[in-house]
Amino acid sequence: MSDMTETAGPVLAADGTPLKRSLARALRQQKLRALFLIAPLLLFILISFILPVVDMLYRSVQNGIVSKTLPNTVVALADWDATTGELPEEAVYAALAVDLKAAAEQKIHTKVGTRLNYENPGMSSLFRKTGRKAKKFDLETGGPWKETLIDINKGWGEHDNWRTLQTYSPPITSGYFLNAVDMRVGTDGPEMRPEDEQIYMKLLGRTLWMSMAITSCCILLAYPVAWLLANLPARKANLLMILVLLPFWTSLLVRTSAWKILLQQQGVINDILVYIGLVADDSRLVIINNQFGTITAMTHILLPFMILPMYSVMQTINPSYLRAAKSLGATDWTAFWRVYFPQTVPGIGAGSILVFILAIGYYITPALVGGTKGTFISNQIAFHISTSLNWGLASALGAILLAVVLVLYWAYDKIVGIDNVKLG
Amino acid sequence: MADSASNDAFVEFDRVQKSYDGETLVVKDLNLSLPRGEFLTMLGPSGSGKTTCLMMLAGFETATHGDIRLGGTSINNIPPHKRGIGMVFQNYALFPHMTIAENLSFPLEVRKMGKSEREEKIKRALDMVEMGAFGGRRPAQLSGGQQQRVALARALVFEPELVLMDEPLGALDKQLREKMQFEITNLAHNLGITTVYVTHDQTEALTMSDRVAVFDDGRIQQLDPPDTLYEAPKNSFVAQFIGENNTLEGIVKEINNGVALVQLDDGDIIDCMPVHESVKPGARTRVSIRPERVEYNKDRIQEGAHTLKAEVKEFIYMGDIFRTRLSVAGNDEFIIKTRNAPDVDRLKPGQQIEIGWLPEDCRALDA
């Protein structure tokens, strides 16, 4: 020891190499082995999770289709000043004719039409109809193109359509995001859509508050169950644990359908209420296909995710804390509230994060029992992915959802502290 | 605190029984009374019912039968938080989410004490256990011994007249444990608190207590001051449990003038003190002799001592003492302890020697 401390400079190993380097060499083997062991999982996560998320984020701003399909038009249109209110010049129309002919021959003109239709309804048919004729354009002798095109479809004489084309010609666009927050690009830059066209922000707000309601319901219902689980004798606790885990053995669809049967107007609960006379037969309660239905069914489905972290935290709390509190003079309630409860907060935190994040992205259950009032933003995302095929907008909505979750996570870290989350 | 009532029983167990399952009794018939200011230790192997007794006194378990009285009034139906009994737990049970000062403040807050009074008492209690500088720390930042002191301070801060301790030193290392034994006893005597202390460590029980109650099988086997307990155990269990002990088995031949003649299983006859009530002519008995009361140096064996032949099996040099294992009257585990002195022979295995003890050190107990 003593001769090592005397040497100035880096500490040397027995063979004269710096100690740090020989330590790194000694550990390299271990690190490589560790990396090798986690490589399959790492690759799997990279391919099936990270890359799709990055791709989704990119899709939400990507707009290459316009400049790729209509390259000449985009260049020619760059100098056009939309604010003058006049239509573009002949050169732009000529460029459009060249582009449209080429696009129509490759049959890709409808795609750009669909893309622009998201921003300005009517553009899809404009491109489709023009495209049919464009294949026969004689680029040498045809023209003047301005009159010809307007002749084919009046749409080419509308200033608004040209403005849309110009606005969405850059390869990167904020259009999807503006759309996702109920805005659009107006003549003076971004503006709110009219009141009756605003859906997404309302939906996001509803998703957030309903997820919070579900989380709160889960906390209230799970706390006593978790307490019982942690405090019953082992045999009874095991039985209760099986009951808690039972829903996991049943398909999500089956559980949700069961709620449909229970809650519908001719369903079990209404029948019982009518039978015992609490509700008149002609005024059966509407407790499904609305927010109540969604909150009920989702609370049930997500409850185990709240119980389990709470249980594992409660299990670690030694019963002698409560005894100590009582021996020091605390009533049952004071002992619970000042000694037991604070120690279970990490479990509540872990459960809440889990349930909230699961709830905010849920879409099967809201789709089945939510009706129109009880659906979530993820139902809209699913709609745009599979039905309207507007993946850009779906991606933008998804990105916003992701951002909201991250912000809430950050807020939670600031307020409660992420170190305070315990799963056991 | 010592007043005219100090002779009266302060804590009293009156024919207390306890059963958890309705089939077996964990505490069979407990009668115990201790005066104000006494330090009483409940000592016994695990499962002997000592902790259950403590929990009944604290109010965390209810007695199945019988009466527990504190200061003359029955406390059977008083909930734990109204008993005003301080308690130190085995794992200290310091609230992990509170600082040390907050932990000590807790019993004062639930008693609705004012802030300045609280602070003064907390300071006094922490100073008392030499932890004054640690008020702002959390329990997890303290060592085991420090946590122990804080737990003690917390149990004392609200000035209870009775303090219960459930194996409070079990988790500490030997040196620290000995130090704390001394400190706890001093503190308890200086403050004049009545203390009921539970342990399975007999050294702890002997060094700390005014009286020790030895528990086994749900009963108090013997309740006496430490010296009586060690020197005059009343039955085999106590003799075995407290300190080291040699046992020889045999049959009682006759009892004359308070001396029993016991024929050991190999035929030797020895004189003993008949102690246990079952020692009657014809009955089997176990004779108990303490290792340090046996001599083998001829000039040290006193007049009137009883002698037997023995063979040395093992001789261990332990510094201050020699520990020798002998084969005596068919018992190969007969241990004797001899103080290291210049005139004491060091034995060798296989050596044949003669050992001797005084009849009054040899106690005939139950078989």
Side-chain angles (χ1 to χ4, degrees), chain B residues 342-367:
Chain B
D343 60 334
V344 173
D345 296 337
R346 301 190 181 181
L347 302 170
K348 288 185 182 63
Q351 209 174 331
Q352 299 289 336
I353 56 167
E354 192 162 69
I355 54 169
W357 60 74
L358 292 173
E360 48 266 45
D361 289 331
C362 173
R363 300 168 66 81
L365 305 171
D366 53 324

Side-chain angles (χ1 to χ4, degrees), chain A residues 338-339 342, chain B residues 95-103 106 137-139:
Chain A
R338 293 216 31 208
V339 174
Chain B
F95 306 139
H97 58 290
M98 299 183 188
T99 63
I100 300 309
E102 285 166 348
N103 262 284
F106 185 83
R137 302 236 193 142
R138 301 234 169 216

